[in-house]
Amino acid sequence: MSRRAAEPKAPPPKRRWRALFVALTALVLLIVMALLWLLNTDSGRDFALRQLVARLSTGSTLRWNSAQGHLSGPLRLAGVQFTTPVQRDDHCQPMPASPCATGTLRLDIAETRLDAALLPLLARRLRLDQLLVHGARLDLPRDDSALELPDWPE
C-alpha cells in the first residue's frame, strides 16, 4: 500500500491577503525609515556624499574639509575642492591615434551652504532654495586657440 505524502494546504484567501498587507506595510515602513535616516542624520549625509564622489566621471575628484547639517537642509561644506579633466579645444574630435589636448578645471570654494527642495527630486529636478558660496576660485585650463566670436544673427 502506497501512502501519498501529505501536501501542505494553501492558506485561506483571507490569510494570504493579511500576510500580503503586513509584508507591504513592513516594506513601506522600511523605505520611510531609510529616507528619514538619509535625509536627517549625519551618517546619512556622509553616505550620500560618498555616493556622489563614487559616481563622478573618470578623473574627477571632489573633496571637502568639513560637512555640517543634513540633506534635508541646510547643508554646509567647507574647503571644497573639485577637479575634472576637460578638453581644451571644443572642435577637436578625439581619435585613438590622436587624442585631444586636455587640461584640468579646478574649483575651490572656501565655504558653501545649500538648501535643496526635496519634493522636486521625485520628478528628477533639482531646485535650490538657497545657495551661498564664499571664497570661490575657478581655474580653467589654458587654451592656446584663437578666440572666435559668434556670427550674429545667423
Side-chain angles (χ1 to χ4, degrees):
M1 204 180 205
S2 67
R3 290 188 182 178
R4 291 172 102 186
E7 293 180 20
K9 287 185 177 180
K14 195 173 188 179
R15 270 194 190 165
R16 274 188 260 153
W17 285 110
R18 188 177 304 153
L20 181 62
F21 175 75
V22 169
L24 287 176
T25 303
L27 180 64
V28 167
L29 188 61
L30 183 66
I31 291 170
V32 168
M33 288 175 55
L35 282 173
L36 288 173
W37 167 79
L38 182 69
L39 297 174
N40 295 313
T41 65
D42 292 344
S43 59
R45 173 204 63 215
D46 294 339
F47 173 79
L49 289 173
R50 282 192 307 271
Q51 291 301 309
L52 174 68
V53 169
R55 285 170 171 68
L56 291 175
S57 61
T58 304
S60 297
T61 62
L62 176 63
R63 296 185 193 99
W64 57 92
N65 293 336
S66 68
Q68 297 174 344
H70 303 127
L71 294 181
S72 60
L75 176 64
R76 181 185 165 276
L77 296 173
V80 178
Q81 296 176 340
F82 174 72
T83 61
T84 188
V86 292
Q87 187 173 304
R88 287 186 184 178
D89 182 7
D90 291 336
H91 304 293
C92 179
Q93 296 295 326
M95 301 293 218
S98 60
C100 297
T102 61
T104 301
L105 179 142
R106 181 181 174 100
L107 175 64
D108 294 318
I109 301 174
E111 182 179 345
T112 185
R113 180 179 171 175
L114 61 103
D115 192 1
L118 299 177
L119 285 179
L121 291 175
L122 295 175
R124 300 186 70 163
R125 301 213 185 277
L126 176 63
R127 190 184 87 210
L128 296 177
D129 290 335
Q130 181 182 50
L131 175 63
L132 299 173
V133 177
H134 297 283
R137 178 184 169 144
L138 177 63
D139 291 329
L140 299 172
R142 183 176 174 191
D143 186 2
D144 295 331
S145 63
L147 177 65
E148 294 179 26
L149 295 175
D151 295 329
W152 295 54
E154 290 188 34

